[in-house]
Amino acid sequence: MLKPKVEMSIFQTILARRSVRKFKAREVTSDTVRTLLEAAVCAPSAIHQEPWGFVVIQDKNLLRQLSDLAKPLFLDDIQQRAPHAGHKMEFFSQPDFNIFYNSGTLILICGASAAPFVEADCWLAAENFMLSACALGLGTCVIGSALPALNLTSVKHQLGVPDDFTVVAPIILGYPDDAIAPVLRKKPYILANISAAANV
Ligand SMILES: Cc1cc2nc3c(=O)[nH]c(=O)nc-3n(C[C@H](O)[C@H](O)[C@H](O)COP(=O)(O)O)c2cc1C
């Protein structure tokens, strides 16, 4: 396993992780991808089914083609599901906009569709992957907007995703090109605080 240059505690890593959308040209080696996938499969999974499978794409031309296919499909999809999403969607109409931000590596975390908690399992693997990447000095970003295209039967066949698998978490990966300002968070919204002591 690769060791991070600077050891970070899990809390430091959680606080340091940002969605990265600008990458250096430096390539990500297959050893590094392997290390991150080994971290991904350490995630918990319902009934210990480990229902995931992975596709590693390191082909910028293919990513550009997938981006061009994905943009109109995502716009249609979001208009149906969130018609008030508004101005943030303008990017998706721009011919030059690459939904993968010109990253050289895209990882697809796919799940066996029949597994009872397939989405949860894959997203837990995704978080392991992203935190481990951060600890090793790499950047990631989930690209949910690619999902309508990636789950087309023709695209799944092209990418080697079996029919009984669903693409759940597309994640770009690379070396961050600049520091990224933290995105502010809401405070934890505690709906209730129930303890036996208060009821005595
Ligand atoms: C399910 C999911 C889908 C996302 N899809 C996209 C996307 O298509 N494009 C993008 O630039 N960021 C995408 N993101 C990243 C979010 O915008 C980002 O996580 C959020 O703004 C918080 O910023 P942070 O990750 O830097 O803390 C997605 C995140 C999640 C969890």
Side-chain angles (χ1 to χ4, degrees):
M1 260 221 175
L2 286 176
K3 280 267 189 177
K5 276 195 214 121
V6 180
E7 297 278 352
M8 282 201 270
S9 74
I10 185 67
F11 274 105
Q12 285 170 323
T13 309
I14 288 169
L15 294 175
R17 188 212 56 80
R18 300 263 80 79
S19 287
V20 172
R21 300 182 176 89
K22 199 166 172 223
F23 298 96
K24 290 193 165 79
R26 179 177 170 189
E27 282 174 22
V28 180
T29 65
S30 53
D31 276 357
T32 300
V33 171
R34 184 87 211 173
T35 298
L36 300 178
L37 293 180
E38 281 171 12
V41 301
C42 290
S45 65
I47 340 175
H48 194 37
Q49 291 228 323
E50 303 176 86
W52 34 62
F54 305 94
V55 176
V56 181
I57 304 172
Q58 293 188 299
D59 176 339
K60 280 196 170 185
N61 287 333
L62 175 58
L63 290 178
R64 184 85 234 185
Q65 286 167 26
L66 290 172
S67 170
D68 289 342
L69 176 68
K71 287 187 286 185
L73 293 178
F74 175 67
L75 277 178
D76 280 354
D77 183 67
I78 205 76
Q79 254 151 29
Q80 284 172 32
R81 290 193 296 129
H84 304 298
H87 67 279
K88 287 184 187 159
M89 298 301 131
E90 280 165 13
F91 278 125
F92 289 85
S93 307
Q94 294 174 7
D96 287 345
F97 176 58
N98 180 336
I99 65 165
F100 303 115
Y101 302 102
N102 302 310
S103 145
T105 302
L106 173 69
I107 308 294
L108 307 181
I109 302 184
C110 310
S113 313
F117 290 91
V118 61
E119 295 236 343
D121 296 338
C122 289
W123 283 116
L124 287 164
E127 184 69 338
N128 270 17
F129 184 94
M130 292 191 285
L131 290 176
S132 305
C134 178
L136 291 179
L138 287 107
T140 56
C141 184
V142 176
I143 306 296
S145 48
L147 283 171
L150 293 171
N151 277 302
L152 291 174
T153 305
S154 57
V155 173
K156 284 169 65 177
H157 287 177
Q158 181 188 8
L159 301 179
V161 180
D163 286 335
D164 55 349
F165 274 62
T166 304
V167 182
V168 176
I171 301 173
I172 51 172
L173 174 70
Y175 289 90
D177 196 25
D178 49 16
I180 297 151
V183 178
L184 294 179
R185 291 300 197 260
K186 297 173 191 162
K187 294 269 179 241
Y189 177 29
I190 302 190
L191 293 172
N193 219 335
I194 300 165
S195 72
N199 293 328
V200 175

